[in-house]
Amino acid sequence: MSETPRSFTGRQRDRKTRPGVKVADHVARALITLGGIGTIIAVSTVCIFLVAVAWPLFTKARISAAQPIAPPWAQQRITPVHIAMDEYQLLGWAMFEDGSVQVFRCDTGDAVGDRQLPLGNERSVTALSFNTDGNDVCFGYRDGHAQLGEIKIDISFLGEQQVPEPVREVPVGEVGMFGGSLYAHPQPGQFRQHAFKVSTKPAVKLSDEPIRLIGHSVRQNGPVIVALAGESLAISAVSEVRNFLSGAVTASARRVDLPYETRSGGGAPAYLMLSGLGDIAYLAWEDGYLRRYDTRTLDNPQLVETLDMAPGEANRLTMMRFLIGRTTLVSGDSKGRVQAWFCVPDDTKIDRTTLVAAHDLGTADSAVTALSGSARSRLLAAGYEDGRVRLFHVTANSMLVESERPADPAEAQVRVIAIGSREDQLLAATQRQLISWDVDRRHPAINLHALFAKVWYEGYAAPQHMWQSSSGTDDFEPKYGLVPLIFGTIKATIYSLLFGLPIALLAAIFTSEFMHPRVKARIKPLVEMMASLPSVVLGFMAALVIAPVVENIVPAVLASFVMLPLAFLLGAYTWQLMPRAWAMRFEKHRFALICLMVPLGGWAALRFGPVVERLVFAGDFKRWMDGQIGTGAGGWFMLLTPVTAVLTGYLFSTLLRDRFRTLTFGWSRVRVAQMDALKFLAGLACWLAFTAAGAWLLAAAGFDPRGEQMHDFLGTYVQRNAMVVGFIMGFAIIPIIYTLAEDALSSVPEHLRSASLGAGATKWQTAIRIIVPTAMSGLFSAAMIGLGRAVGETMIVLMAAGNTPVLQMNFFNGFRTLSANIAVELPEAPVGGTHYRVLFLAALSLFVMTFIINTLAEIVRQRFRKRAFQL
């Protein structure tokens, strides 16, 4: 027989639990369990989804087996100097040293036709120059003339009634030839014509001697040609004049000689190249010796630099090409090394730049014999003497794929190579055959180094972290460094916590321990209502209201960080000096009197702001921030102010506390308050003295916080900056931290307060030494929730932070966070593309950051909870 249930007091229960209550209890337990499990599953699903989207970024590129094709020139035993194909990899063309062109099908190698330049029968070609970015080409002739032309495969989309009758019989999905053009039938009723077209401009006279080497650039204001003819090197600006009556076009050139001397023992130059803007000319020899000319002004071209591009014994320069944009120069040598070169700032040179080998793409077992850059990105294909090919991404400084070594390397030496327009095929020519490879390049610009390490981008003085995902030009070099975004997220979080956390915690302590319950019942709901303000409203106010106002009174705002605490301390010391009778009479008005100190401190800051600007910042804060006026002493005074304040307070509290207590033993209340006020004034004087002395010593030692050597603690003032964001985001996180902290303090058992007060402790001593340590786990949880709120904030930082991904600690500069970057760029990122997946990787990075922070916070919270339990 079962016993009658008893309560914890031992008394028998008189009532039984109703069945409905038991059912509700089981249902609630089940719902809570399902909710917890569902939350874990939801968070895990989000993590898995982010990993699934970002994971393809790190998968390796693949290359197919070589597919040999018999080209139409195989029996002639000649080798082309340039090959190209259309974007569908159906029709290709090859040019030879004599200027002749052969058009062929890329799938079968069948000849489509031979073409000869219009002037080819009258003049023989002695030099060629091809454009990496476009279809233009420049020919140099034996009689000293040069001619610009355009060679391309023109693709037209035609309807069924627009194509010849025989073409209509081509089955869907097949291709056919008619009239020297290739026709593809991709779908019913639609045809695609692939036609090889050559157009040339009038030839221009450059020299009386045969042109040995030539380089060209087609600029908006006209073509520029640099040519080596005989023993003279000259650059020419080409202009064209059209006769309005006859329509005939004549070309003329304004020639300027470049400094050129032959080298004893170096042989003849092998490479002559002109940059895309026509401002730099490169002349190189096979032994690696290179001369760089500044051709920005054709009236005064200069030799600005010489260097060795192929160092080492018996090493030879075997190939030189431009990447897209024709700014980065790529070289290959006989030791199999491939390097990328571009100019970086250097004040010691005539043109203030110097050529550096920014990327070393590694070496191979055989010499580099062919190089070709993509017309879409920073991809580079290299062919080697042993028949292998490699595909690199120059910015990421990585090799993507490498083909297998051919069975007979002697017959498979790569002479020329091309990358397909869609970057999904490589086409190489040897002496006897064409070889093609299908390539799945995946996401070549992404690897761990490109994401999280410093990368040397084109034109920059040194490697650096940078985020810039898009631009207005095709030759743009995407920069996917996540470090500036992670840094911006941490910066926003730190500055917002610096402002919001102390205010929220001190407000919670005051509300819980010192405020009258009736006032607390009105104040706490009012503060909690602040959390209902939308982030977009706060961001709008910060960007359009607060930031412009702060910009005009920055010194006053800086002074307020000192004046407001001093105003509160002044009020506290004034209260202590009041006679006891008056203090007791006005006790119920103490909170209102304390609130009156806020406008008093603000008024003092506005009045002293111009004084601070004149004494500390040489009279103009913005010009001082830019480094135009003043020394670094003002900046050090500003940076050292909080440090010396804490140090002075600690020294006075430890050194003078016991002596002050002994000295004032037996004194009256008013006399002790007077002595305490004198101690405060002495501490204030010591604080100012310590700050001024430290600022002067650091400035005298040559340290300036506005310079790069100090990691940019200060710099140019930007209207939407970290200070404004810290204030507004601090305002946003104060309600949640305040509410949770006050609840944690209020939940401390009342008997602990009573015991402390009964032992003679003051309310302040009870709050700091008893209540706060006991509630520390709750206070820490409140701080961590506020931190999570700040880390994930989007709209405030998007509107008020300037949205610039800079890597500076400058309090007056902007930044960009991970969340804001995702919000801005994800709508414009092509689905499945590199940019799209990198944004999801940024979201995964934010997820991992919050997960790590929350895990560490939980560990610390458990320790605080254990200590509080021991109390």
Side-chain angles (χ1 to χ4, degrees), residues 424-446:
D424 57 355
Q425 190 174 37
L426 295 178
L427 184 64
T430 67
Q431 190 173 16
R432 293 190 176 183
Q433 62 181 354
L434 280 170
I435 305 175
S436 67
W437 294 267
D438 293 328
V439 176
D440 183 2
R441 59 187 176 88
R442 309 299 289 173
H443 302 277
I446 301 301

Side-chain angles (χ1 to χ4, degrees), residues 318-351:
T318 57
M319 189 57 58
M320 283 180 62
R321 288 291 186 269
F322 276 122
L323 285 183
I324 182 174
R326 302 186 70 176
T327 298
T328 298
L329 191 66
V330 184
S331 67
D333 58 33
S334 58
K335 293 185 177 180
R337 170 172 291 180
V338 178
Q339 293 178 298
W341 308 70
F342 52 73
C343 291
V344 300
D346 185 357
D347 292 337
T348 63
K349 294 293 191 298
I350 297 176
D351 63 343

Side-chain angles (χ1 to χ4, degrees), residues 188 338 342 488 507 575 811-812 862:
V338 178
F342 52 73
W575 185 270
F811 194 57
F812 305 101
Q862 291 295 339

